[in-house]
Amino acid sequence: MYSLPQHKYTPNLHHKVCKNSSPFHPFRVYCSTTTNTTSTPKSNVKPLVIEPGLVPVVPRVITTIDNHRPMNNDTSLQSTWSHRAWVTFGCTTLLVSLGESIKGAMDLNMWVEPIIASWVGYILADLGSGVYHWAIDNYGDGSTPIVGAQIEAFQGHHKWPWTITRREFANNLHALARAVTFIVLPVVLVCHDPVVQGFVGVCSGCIMFSQQFHAWAHGTKSRLPPLVVALQEAGVLVSRSQHAAHHRPPYNNNYCIVSGVWNEFLDKHKVFEVMEMVLYFKTGVRPRSWTEPAPEWIEEIEISSQIQAQ
């Protein structure tokens, strides 16, 4: 600190309280001046004093950059030729299965049973998507055999949910398409029953495309195709509002992502909570939904700089 300079012919000794008009925290500054007829400074001049207890403390703001945050031009969101190949194989397998069902129904003049079987497949696909989604959200990690990559991907999805709308089509579906190819193809080659093929084709098709339904549930209404919006509002596909509830704490509801028809029943009757209790008493493993969300699960909002980086 320093003493204020003294000037000739200044007013007599006085003290003035200066109040800061800062909108943050008030503090007082005491200023001293003294009259002096000579140029020799006096030794008893009081210094400028700021009361320590009243000085505003401005918190330090530390800006960090998450190097793992996906950007719009991230190659991990783009499709590769391998992705496209698996989606092609998966779609071909589905078409053959449905074709077998239609052909068998025509040959046998039997339509009611395959249609009912297809409807059951559609309903059970939604339930299956919910059970699988619940399992990988709550158990395992990136080192888990077979599904470790998907567990890690879903954890990243909770932190950056908007990235699923940036993923290219084949990139989003290739993992499920590969599973559908290996599971459905043997059924197509061995079984020619139109009822079985109707069930298998629709159920596996809904599961394969569930990630696309999931992506649409994160989209904005103005950017979605009108047909998709109509199907969401009709309850044929999982709606945006229903799935948005899954991304709010405590992150333990609305797991189904095909049509969402099972969500109300499963949440109302606490089916997943009962399953968690059974697994806990049998294995001692606690699900992630029982604890506070880890930092990697806290959603980060998309910022404008990410959009501009596209």
Side-chain angles (χ1 to χ4, degrees):
M1 308 305 291
Y2 59 92
S3 297
L4 293 175
Q6 300 176 11
H7 302 280
K8 194 173 182 178
Y9 308 122
T10 56
N12 199 3
L13 180 65
H14 67 280
H15 296 278
K16 184 177 181 180
V17 178
C18 305
K19 293 185 179 181
N20 182 18
S21 60
S22 169
F24 299 101
H25 299 285
F27 62 93
R28 299 188 186 95
V29 178
Y30 293 91
C31 308
S32 298
T33 60
T34 176
T35 303
N36 187 12
T37 57
T38 67
S39 60
T40 305
K42 291 186 177 181
S43 60
N44 63 346
V45 175
K46 295 182 180 181
L48 174 67
V49 178
I50 300 178
E51 293 184 11
L54 298 176
V55 178
V57 179
V58 180
R60 237 179 6 162
V61 177
I62 301 176
T63 303
T64 60
I65 298 176
D66 191 341
N67 292 326
H68 299 288
R69 175 196 293 271
M71 304 299 288
N72 287 341
N73 57 355
D74 195 328
T75 56
S76 67
L77 305 179
Q78 299 173 1
S79 298
T80 65
W81 285 109
S82 174
H83 296 162
R84 297 184 183 98
W86 279 117
V87 171
T88 301
F89 293 149
C91 289
T92 302
T93 304
L94 292 176
L95 290 175
V96 172
S97 176
L98 293 174
E100 285 281 346
S101 178
I102 295 172
K103 180 178 180 298
M106 292 177 63
D107 292 341
L108 300 175
N109 195 24
M110 179 178 62
W111 296 99
V112 176
E113 293 87 345
I115 291 174
I116 293 175
S118 300
W119 180 80
V120 172
Y122 163 73
I123 296 298
L124 292 183
D126 187 59
L127 177 61
S129 72
V131 173
Y132 186 74
H133 190 179
W134 162 77
I136 62 178
D137 265 10
N138 286 281
Y139 300 99
D141 54 30
S143 62
T144 302
I146 302 177
V147 296
Q150 294 184 45
I151 293 173
E152 197 170 42
F154 267 75
Q155 290 177 349
H157 171 66
H158 275 266
K159 190 175 182 66
W160 304 296
W162 46 267
T163 58
I164 196 171
T165 64
R166 304 288 191 268
R167 285 189 180 277
E168 294 184 356
F169 179 77
N171 180 291
N172 200 23
L173 266 63
H174 75 278
L176 290 172
R178 182 167 57 245
V180 164
T181 301
F182 285 123
I183 294 172
V184 176
L185 187 57
V187 178
V188 171
L189 296 175
V190 173
C191 180
H192 302 284
D193 188 310
V195 176
V196 173
Q197 292 294 350
F199 172 82
V200 171
V202 172
C203 184
S204 56
C206 288
I207 290 174
M208 175 175 153
F209 284 94
S210 64
Q211 272 297 83
Q212 186 58 48
F213 305 156
H214 185 190
W216 285 334
H218 282 279
T220 57
K221 185 175 181 179
S222 60
R223 295 184 178 182
L224 292 175
L227 178 60
V228 171
V229 175
L231 292 174
Q232 288 178 338
E233 293 178 349
V236 178
L237 300 180
V238 63
S239 67
R240 301 179 306 281
S241 59
Q242 189 180 78
H243 186 66
H246 175 71
H247 284 270
R248 292 193 291 266
Y251 309 101
N252 63 353
N253 54 60
N254 291 278
Y255 287 106
C256 301
I257 56 174
V258 174
S259 65
V261 69
W262 282 93
N263 283 327
E264 183 178 357
F265 174 85
L266 295 172
D267 296 340
K268 180 179 179 180
H269 295 281
K270 302 185 183 300
V271 174
F272 290 124
E273 294 182 23
V274 172
M275 294 169 64
E276 290 166 359
M277 291 296 295
V278 171
L279 287 173
Y280 176 71
F281 285 120
K282 290 288 186 181
T283 65
V285 178
R286 296 169 62 91
R288 275 185 280 268
S289 61
W290 288 10
T291 58
E292 288 294 324
E296 62 268 19
W297 279 69
I298 304 300
E299 179 178 345
E300 291 187 2
I301 305 300
E302 183 180 12
I303 57 177
S304 58
S305 61
Q306 291 172 297
I307 299 175
Q308 293 171 358
Q310 187 172 12

